[in-house]
Amino acid sequence: GGEIAKKAGAGVDRLLARDARREAECEAASFDLGYRLGLPCFAFSPTAVEAANAAVVDGSVDENRVRALLVWLCAPVACERRKHRKLLASDPRQAVAFLTLLRGR
């Protein structure tokens, strides 16, 4: 009972508590790290699906690219966690989802 209410409350917080500055900082972290890591695409809000597509180089998964993509996926989380206790603008599940997608290939 209590755990479900806690998760539902966290979901509502993510939907209703919009903080443009917080979102912009997370997006800037993603963009900056993607550029610095030399990724072929570096979206403002990285997703596991984008990362999984970018992990394939010449038909096979490139381990160095996977490492860089994991850093890219974690950039907004690290940026937000640095200033805030509660994550609202970033999603720490993206890195795990990315690895899950790669295992399925």
Side-chain angles (χ1 to χ4, degrees), residues 33-80:
L33 265 173
Y35 176 78
R36 290 173 190 253
L37 291 168
L39 297 176
C41 70
F42 34 89
F44 294 112
S45 299
T47 67
V49 173
E50 283 180 292
N53 291 334
V56 177
V57 177
D58 297 328
S60 63
V61 175
D62 181 281
E63 285 186 39
N64 290 326
R65 174 86 48 93
V66 168
R67 289 183 193 99
L69 290 164
L70 282 169
V71 171
W72 178 58
L73 287 167
C74 292
V77 176
C79 176
E80 187 174 17

Side-chain angles (χ1 to χ4, degrees), residues 4-26:
I4 293 172
K6 185 178 175 182
K7 285 186 179 188
V12 169
D13 282 350
R14 280 182 77 92
L15 291 173
L16 300 178
R18 300 222 19 137
D19 182 342
R21 183 176 181 89
R22 182 185 269 200
E23 289 176 13
E25 288 173 349
C26 290

Side-chain angles (χ1 to χ4, degrees), residues 76-99:
V77 176
C79 176
E80 187 174 17
R81 179 66 77 189
R82 188 182 88 235
K83 288 187 173 182
H84 307 282
R85 185 172 182 202
K86 192 176 207 181
L87 298 175
L88 298 175
S90 62
D91 186 358
R93 300 170 298 179
Q94 292 300 315
V96 174
F98 167 57
L99 293 175

